[in-house]
Amino acid sequence: MGSMGRARGFFVLVLVVFWLLLLRKSGKFPQLFLRKMKKKGQNKMSDNKKREVTSSDEAPRSNFIRAMIDEDLKTGKYDGRVVTRFPPEPNGYLHIGHTKAIALSFGLAEHYGGVCHLRFDDTNPASEDVEYVESIKHDIKWLGFDWHDKLFYTSDYFERLYDFAVELIEKDLAYVDSLNEEEIREYRGSVKEHGRPSPYRGRTIEENLTLFKAMKDGEYEDGEHVLRAKIDLASPNMKMRDPLLYRIRKGHSHYRRGTEWCIYPMYDFAHCLSDAIEGITHSLCTLEFENNREIYDWLLANVELAITPPPEQTEFARLSISYFVMSKRKLLQLVTEKHVMGWDDPRMPTVAGMRRRGYTPESLRDFAELVGVAKANSVVEYEMLEYSVRNDLNFRVPRVMCVLDPLKVVIENFPEGEVEDLDASYYPHDIPKEGSRSVPFSREIYIERDDFMEEPSKGFRRLVPGGEVRLRHAYVVKCTDVIKNDVDEIVELRCTYDPETKGKAPEGRKVKGAIHWVSAEHGVPVEVRVYDRLFSHAAPDSTDNFLEHLNPDSLHINKSAVLEPSVINDPAGSRYQFERLGYYCSDIVDSSPEHLVFNRTVALRDSWSKKQEAKPKEAKAEVASSSPSKKSKERPQKKSRAEIREKLRSDNPELMARFERYQKELGLTREEADVLTGDREVAAFFEAALATHDAPRS
């Protein structure tokens, strides 16, 4: 770009920053973004129809991959074909990071009228299992996608892949190396020095063919020999310095091929050639495979293929979420060491765990769409995921009443033995859905213990001695007496009710509060599991031992809760909003009509939006707190801006994690990282910029 172009670009950037500063000063940033998302949620079901689990109702947002496919279709590069694939290795359960890749590959194929293959990259018999295959298939179906008849396994191509390897040897483009793993690493060199040729690099074609066949026939043990490509030991891309193509894996039975094979292709070799065998046009993968693209192209250019032009690899940013670990190895460690109940533990970031917790496939797809497709890695806030889940559940789940910490209330003027069935709506007036249930009202009920306060604090609007409160869907009650036990604990309240106040405000009295309740006689005892974040550190992966940051309060089990009886016959997996408490789902594993178990999916409070809206106030309060009081005799020293930024990071582990990541991964100076993580809005803006621009320093 010429100097004039750079000047224009800089001028536009200055205007954008100036506009954002004006928005921030006016308090409208980032509320504008949040308001847009809220409006999206409000309009989501305005047609009074539940949105189907497909992407056909709304086109995906434009991104650089769509632009590339549009151009390929325009030029006729693949004769109008769009064939994508999702190639998981069956060595663990899918996690939420995979949902982005699934939604992208399947969604693009669907949008362009193409097909998406499901191909299991099963080339490591030591860690793969049919259990993982079945779980992956189940998760993809649950998310709303279908591969139809396009189900493939790399293990089905072992014979053809072996022939491709022989072809490379015959062209003197591959050789059998007898160095061990450590020696290969040493001979490969470093970023500052070229690699050295292995002493076995000069083997003849005949020697290599003989040795490679002997490897296949099981004549050698693991590690004795490997097959390597013969490319360029001086390449600045370390991946191109004679990469491994095949290794020996004896003593392992493949879950599909048994002991038929004892050599297995490496990912870089099998991946691109499997794409070519299947006629894939657009091979989409995450950014960690960016340096592997040269191997991908080199291999396709040096073997005889039946597809022209060959597939093309394109990388996009992977999905990383604060307070989660996404490494399959670490997730497996959590399971095997029993830090969690299994792969489907509702605290796990696995699709199975999120399904059990009560997340909907629509909410995960909405989240992937909200995150978007970018060229630079970034970390998405956990609250953003919660927002997507809450926003989806708000419009689809019925409301019921559940008391988690019961306090008995006796309504003394309600006749003993009498029961009144009240009609209670399942949905609030602003949700375009209808339906109601019958809720029994009796002389004895339960309310939440914290909905009563004997000595109320300022602003408390619930039940107090001598005070009134409205019972949801029922009457106004007044507390007349407080019953305590021998140790001065409140065990019961005595109240009266006003029979003229059912469904309407009492005349001449102003009742501010409304609380939920359950009939003591008809309520159903339930076990309620309240889940929180599995880790207390925003970036557990960034530390030496991620297990040190396991949150000891990630699960609370409540066995004293009481639920209204309307849900007792509903099947496992039923979702509800427990009024005033949050969104809950009956556990699909442990819940039964005889023993109901509910998992909290997400709390009612929109912590993400509220946190964003509170930022300007928090910043002002923090600065104000550093100012001395006029009445103070000694004027304290005012904190510098650098000290304020450091204090903010010390109170916010996510900002601290970004501060470290910007230096280690993005190559920013300490001063740059300090400025970018010393203000929540600046940090949020920079993360948004990273999502669309792949040059962090600029």
Side-chain angles (χ1 to χ4, degrees):
M1 182 186 293
S3 59
M4 184 65 71
R6 285 194 296 270
R8 267 198 306 270
F10 180 75
F11 179 68
V12 170
L13 180 60
V14 170
L15 286 178
V16 171
V17 172
F18 180 68
W19 174 72
L20 289 170
L21 289 174
L22 286 177
L23 284 178
R24 180 184 172 193
K25 188 174 182 181
S26 66
K28 296 180 180 179
F29 176 74
Q31 284 84 350
L32 286 175
F33 173 63
L34 295 170
R35 197 177 303 130
K36 180 179 179 182
M37 289 197 298
K38 288 178 181 177
K39 184 177 180 182
K40 176 185 176 184
Q42 291 165 359
N43 293 335
K44 197 172 189 179
M45 297 187 67
S46 59
D47 61 348
N48 200 19
K49 293 181 180 178
K50 185 186 293 184
R51 185 166 55 81
E52 296 179 357
V53 193
T54 68
S55 60
S56 59
D57 59 337
E58 185 177 325
R61 287 192 306 178
S62 181
N63 54 64
F64 72 96
I65 295 178
R66 285 195 65 198
M68 174 191 69
I69 296 176
D70 288 339
E71 181 63 22
D72 290 344
L73 292 174
K74 181 179 178 181
T75 60
K77 182 174 181 179
Y78 295 106
D79 297 324
R81 294 184 305 114
V82 175
V83 184
T84 60
R85 86 288 172 273
F86 176 63
E89 182 181 359
N91 63 349
Y93 280 56
L94 295 182
H95 56 64
I96 190 170
H98 295 112
T99 63
K100 178 179 177 180
I102 293 169
L104 182 62
S105 292
F106 279 93
L108 286 171
E110 182 179 346
H111 176 70
Y112 287 102
V115 294
C116 181
H117 296 187
L118 171 60
R119 181 178 73 240
F120 287 98
D121 175 31
D122 51 353
T123 60
N124 186 0
S127 60
E128 296 162 357
D129 194 278
V130 69
E131 174 192 353
Y132 300 134
V133 171
E134 294 305 317
S135 73
I136 290 169
K137 290 160 67 175
H138 178 60
D139 288 347
I140 295 174
K141 290 276 191 180
W142 178 78
L143 285 168
F145 299 104
D146 197 338
W147 54 88
H148 302 290
D149 61 341
K150 303 301 181 182
L151 175 62
F152 302 98
Y153 298 85
T154 302
S155 55
D156 285 338
Y157 308 142
F158 280 174
E159 287 78 8
R160 297 187 66 180
L161 294 174
Y162 178 82
D163 291 341
F164 283 132
V166 170
E167 180 184 343
L168 289 174
I169 295 173
E170 290 173 342
K171 293 179 177 179
D172 201 21
L173 295 176
Y175 64 98
V176 173
D177 194 358
S178 304
L179 294 177
N180 61 38
E181 185 177 351
E182 185 177 338
E183 291 170 333
I184 290 175
R185 188 181 302 110
E186 179 187 345
Y187 270 74
R188 189 170 279 140
S190 67
V191 292
K192 295 182 179 179
E193 60 180 14
H194 294 167
R196 293 176 292 147
S198 164
Y200 307 102
R201 199 173 193 260
R203 279 173 168 159
T204 65
I205 293 174
E206 290 71 20
E207 286 179 289
N208 286 316
L209 289 172
T210 300
L211 283 170
F212 189 51
K213 184 178 184 305
M215 289 168 58
K216 174 181 175 294
D217 293 340
E219 297 179 18
Y220 299 104
E221 300 300 318
D222 291 12
E224 283 194 68
H225 302 293
V226 294
L227 183 69
R228 298 177 68 181
K230 188 184 292 187
I231 306 181
D232 182 6
L233 293 168
S235 174
N237 182 356
M238 299 290 290
K239 299 280 188 181
M240 294 295 286
R241 297 184 182 181
D242 289 10
L244 272 64
L245 304 182
Y246 266 88
R247 80 284 204 204
I248 301 171
R249 284 288 183 269
K250 293 183 71 174
H252 296 287
S253 177
H254 191 277
Y255 75 100
R256 296 186 74 242
R257 304 297 300 263
T259 57
E260 185 179 356
W261 287 83
C262 60
I263 59 170
Y264 290 88
M266 302 296 290
Y267 170 84
D268 282 329
F269 183 73
H271 172 60
C272 60
L273 295 173
S274 297
D275 281 352
I277 291 170
E278 294 176 17
I280 302 298
T281 59
H282 300 86
S283 179
L284 309 178
C285 59
T286 47
L287 278 175
E288 63 264 36
F289 297 103
E290 184 175 19
N291 289 335
N292 302 61
R293 192 196 322 147
E294 282 192 67
I295 305 176
Y296 189 101
D297 294 339
W298 184 89
L299 284 166
L300 294 184
N302 285 284
V303 297
E304 297 298 326
L305 300 173
I307 179 174
T308 304
E312 185 172 314
Q313 176 176 304
T314 304
E315 306 85 23
F316 61 91
R318 68 185 303 172
L319 176 58
S320 297
I321 306 174
S322 61
Y323 296 96
F324 277 163
V325 295
M326 300 290 198
S327 161
K328 281 187 181 179
R329 177 181 59 81
K330 292 179 178 179
L331 294 178
L332 179 62
Q333 185 178 350
L334 288 171
V335 173
T336 55
E337 295 181 4
K338 300 188 183 305
H339 299 291
V340 293
M341 296 180 290
W343 285 100
D344 65 345
D345 188 302
R347 294 166 293 179
M348 290 277 276
T350 56
V351 175
M354 292 180 168
R355 178 170 57 247
R356 186 174 176 183
R357 186 162 176 167
Y359 286 19
T360 63
E362 294 90 341
S363 66
L364 296 184
R365 292 176 63 159
D366 285 348
F367 175 64
E369 179 71 9
L370 185 61
V371 170
V373 182
K375 294 183 178 181
N377 285 326
S378 61
V379 178
V380 177
E381 291 188 357
Y382 180 86
E383 291 84 356
M384 191 174 177
L385 171 62
E386 287 190 321
Y387 168 84
S388 296
V389 177
R390 186 183 296 110
N391 189 53
D392 181 69
L393 292 175
N394 181 44
F395 291 91
R396 72 166 61 239
V397 302
R399 277 63 168 163
V400 297
M401 293 188 291
C402 180
V403 175
L404 298 183
D405 188 10
L407 175 60
K408 188 176 181 180
V409 175
V410 178
I411 304 173
E412 295 184 299
N413 62 333
F414 192 87
E416 288 191 43
E418 186 172 316
V419 178
E420 181 179 358
D421 290 323
L422 302 174
D423 185 62
S425 173
Y426 273 130
Y427 301 94
H429 64 87
D430 58 338
I431 298 295
K433 297 186 75 172
E434 297 179 354
S436 63
R437 79 279 190 194
S438 178
V439 178
F441 183 74
S442 57
R443 178 182 172 88
E444 295 183 359
I445 64 172
Y446 291 123
I447 66 170
E448 294 286 356
R449 186 167 294 275
D450 61 8
D451 277 340
F452 174 80
M453 189 173 288
E454 192 172 17
E455 297 179 3
S457 58
K458 185 179 179 180
F460 187 76
R461 295 188 174 187
R462 285 162 278 176
L463 195 58
V464 299
E468 292 184 323
V469 72
R470 170 170 288 282
L471 300 178
R472 292 280 293 149
H473 311 294
Y475 300 95
V476 170
V477 296
K478 181 177 182 178
C479 180
T480 57
D481 197 9
V482 179
I483 311 299
K484 298 183 179 181
N485 61 15
D486 295 339
V487 291
D488 205 37
E489 294 173 335
I490 299 174
V491 295
E492 186 178 298
L493 302 179
R494 297 297 173 91
C495 295
T496 59
Y497 87 112
D498 186 343
E500 302 299 322
T501 58
K502 183 169 72 170
K504 62 180 180 180
E507 294 183 8
R509 304 198 306 276
K510 190 174 184 180
V511 180
K512 295 181 178 180
I515 63 175
H516 61 280
W517 56 275
V518 173
S519 168
E521 179 185 351
H522 304 89
V524 180
V526 294
E527 179 180 318
V528 175
R529 300 170 181 174
V530 178
Y531 294 97
D532 201 349
R533 302 171 188 185
L534 184 58
F535 293 96
S536 55
H537 194 287
D541 262 341
S542 66
T543 62
D544 293 334
N545 183 6
F546 76 106
L547 293 176
E548 292 179 350
H549 303 290
L550 283 169
N551 178 10
D553 298 319
S554 63
L555 171 60
H556 288 285
I557 299 178
N558 181 343
K559 296 187 177 182
S560 61
V562 182
L563 180 64
E564 69 172 67
S566 65
V567 305
I568 191 170
N569 293 320
D570 284 5
S574 299
R575 301 182 183 92
Y576 299 96
Q577 182 194 111
F578 289 176
E579 295 198 42
R580 302 176 63 233
L581 298 176
Y583 294 97
Y584 291 76
C585 177
S586 57
D587 191 277
I588 57 178
V589 176
D590 297 332
S591 189
S592 67
E594 295 75 29
H595 178 64
L596 293 176
V597 178
F598 277 86
N599 302 323
R600 190 180 75 175
T601 305
V602 65
L604 275 183
R605 187 171 64 93
D606 189 348
S607 58
W608 187 40
S609 299
K610 290 184 181 296
K611 184 174 70 174
Q612 299 291 331
E613 292 168 358
K615 287 175 184 176
K617 296 179 182 178
E618 291 174 5
K620 290 179 182 178
E622 190 169 19
V623 175
S625 66
S626 67
S627 302
S629 169
K630 292 182 180 179
K631 298 179 181 179
S632 176
K633 293 181 179 179
E634 283 189 28
R635 186 179 183 88
Q637 185 177 1
K638 187 175 181 179
K639 288 185 179 180
S640 68
R641 291 182 181 274
E643 289 174 324
I644 293 174
R645 292 195 295 267
E646 186 175 354
K647 175 65 167 59
L648 185 64
R649 281 194 297 271
S650 67
D651 295 338
N652 189 319
E654 186 167 353
L655 286 179
M656 181 61 76
R658 289 181 181 178
F659 175 68
E660 297 170 355
R661 182 169 64 87
Y662 290 171
Q663 297 176 74
K664 294 178 181 178
E665 298 182 14
L666 304 186
L668 302 184
T669 66
R670 190 183 191 285
E671 291 75 17
E672 291 167 338
D674 175 39
V675 172
L676 289 169
T677 58
D679 181 283
R680 292 183 179 91
E681 291 184 12
V682 172
F685 174 65
F686 185 61
E687 286 292 322
L690 285 176
T692 57
H693 189 54
D694 58 359
R697 294 195 63 82
S698 66

